[in-house]
Amino acid sequence: MPHVLVTGAAGFIGSHTVDQLLAAGHRVTAVDDFRTGRRENLAGALRSPACRLVEADVSAEDALGQLVAGDRPEAIVHLAALVSVPESIRDPGLNFRLNVVATQRVAEAARGAGVGRVVFASSAAVYGDAAPLPAGEEAPKAPISPYGAAKLASEALLLGHAAAYGFTVRCQRYFNVFGPRQDPGSPYSGVISLFARRHREGTAVTLFGDGGQTRDFISVHDVARANVLAATAPGLRSGTANICTGRGTSLREVLAVFQRLYPAAPAPQFAPPREGDIRHSRGDPAAAAAALGFRAAVAVEDGLAELAASA
Ligand code: UD1
């Protein structure tokens, strides 16, 4: 039974990735330090005898190296990260440790134990705010935050190690991921997680700007499937691909779906546009289709209905 080690396994994307790996019959070592990951996200997974939980900080010297040397997984899916762009701006040193040093530990652990494949959680943040629409992987990379810079640096670190030591790296540039288990805990959390909570509570959402801004919203179920493909599909070469739908959805469209799901919801409040906000963001999904055979399958409307139903 193929064996995959997942870092950040108790997080939003990590826990869905673990669930899908187990459903596909793989053995999983789930690694998390629970800084932002939540134990309840793994409640279902840990009922499986094929899943083992290890509490560890991936950025700590030697922790991952020893674990991987003992565990000998076929693949590592590296999702452990500082996930908040504003937090990376407040604490760039912590961003460096959790988003760059941790990646270097993964590269060294993979080399040391002869792991064949590493899948990395990169981000559309590597493009900054000047990418063409849709953004292809070759678009200029101009990160505008420590977070985006760390993701870009990590891609380079992993690809360089992979070329030197003969393993395969798949860098996955996620666009705006949404779905169950996303934490709405800060005003800077993903907009759909915030809107879902407000609708559940019956309080008004705040729309920054006119609501005409668009994002390439992708369901976490699709993202987890892309991770499973990248970790386990035979014969992949190293490379980088957007994980996106290729479609832009405006906040007004998102709100219209919520209003159908919650007909009694109060009217939205309008506030000035957020400073530094990007008007439109959308990725080109062609490279992921060609390299992984991945195409997003969950329509935004269906993903929002699932969120409302799971509340
Ligand atoms: C993402 C990051 C953000 C970062 C930005 C840099 C996440 C969750 N957000 O933002 O931290 O600064 O890239 O480019 O990773 N919105 C509302 N009402 C709300 C919340 C958000 O109208 O209550 C709007 C925002 O102003 C934005 C859109 O919704 O126009 C999407 O916001 P968000 O989910 O934060 O994603 P990004 O803008 O892509």
Side-chain angles (χ1 to χ4, degrees):
M1 199 191 285
H3 176 191
V4 181
L5 184 144
V6 179
T7 75
F12 166 46
I13 297 173
S15 61
H16 285 280
T17 301
V18 170
D19 287 345
Q20 288 199 25
L21 283 166
L22 293 169
H26 302 294
R27 199 150 61 83
V28 174
T29 301
V31 181
D32 208 292
D33 67 353
F34 297 104
R35 192 184 80 93
T36 52
R38 299 155 66 98
R39 277 172 208 280
E40 59 260 38
N41 289 346
L42 288 174
L46 288 172
R47 282 197 285 273
S48 163
C51 185
R52 177 168 87 101
L53 173 65
V54 177
E55 192 165 342
D57 170 359
V58 177
S59 71
E61 196 157 5
D62 282 351
L64 191 71
Q66 285 176 16
L67 177 60
V68 172
D71 235 36
R72 300 219 155 252
E74 274 88 31
I76 299 175
V77 180
H78 177 44
L79 308 177
L82 180 153
V83 297
S84 160
V85 173
E87 189 177 8
S88 83
I89 292 168
R90 274 198 311 276
D91 193 344
L94 184 65
N95 170 69
F96 182 74
R97 182 163 72 79
L98 301 186
N99 286 346
V100 182
V101 174
T103 306
Q104 177 64 17
R105 305 279 188 237
V106 170
E108 289 177 26
R111 176 205 176 192
V115 176
R117 197 169 300 172
V118 175
V119 179
F120 173 59
S122 189
S123 167
V126 300
Y127 298 117
D129 56 7
L133 291 177
E137 288 76 3
E138 300 314 317
K141 262 62 80 185
I144 53 171
S145 65
Y147 174 86
K151 289 296 181 185
L152 188 56
S154 287
E155 288 186 1
L157 277 174
L158 286 169
L159 288 164
H161 284 71
Y165 303 119
F167 57 90
T168 300
V169 166
R170 294 300 317 173
C171 298
Q172 313 245 77
R173 292 183 184 153
Y174 309 141
F175 277 64
N176 288 66
V177 187
F178 74 99
R181 304 179 193 157
Q182 189 170 29
D183 180 10
S186 122
Y188 300 101
S189 297
V191 64
I192 288 180
S193 71
L194 293 168
F195 281 12
R197 181 161 81 178
R198 289 289 171 90
H199 281 89
R200 232 174 0 251
E201 294 172 351
T203 53
V205 304
T206 304
L207 208 50
F208 298 121
D210 63 2
Q213 62 267 55
T214 61
R215 293 293 182 272
D216 190 330
F217 292 110
I218 181 165
S219 163
V220 71
H221 300 300
D222 279 328
V223 171
R225 187 164 51 83
N227 288 341
V228 174
L229 277 170
T232 64
L236 300 186
R237 292 163 180 264
S238 289
T240 302
N242 292 332
I243 302 299
C244 61
T245 69
R247 281 182 296 274
T249 304
S250 73
L251 288 193
R252 279 185 189 278
E253 292 173 280
V254 167
L255 259 187
V257 176
F258 273 117
Q259 276 160 355
R260 281 200 295 281
L261 293 165
Y262 296 89
Q269 291 173 348
F270 285 86
R274 224 180 224 178
E275 205 184 326
D277 225 19
I278 296 172
R279 183 76 179 161
H280 300 294
S281 166
R282 180 163 60 91
D284 183 342
L292 309 175
F294 170 75
R295 283 173 192 79
V298 181
V300 170
E301 189 164 359
D302 295 338
L304 297 181
E306 182 209 3
L307 261 188
S310 68

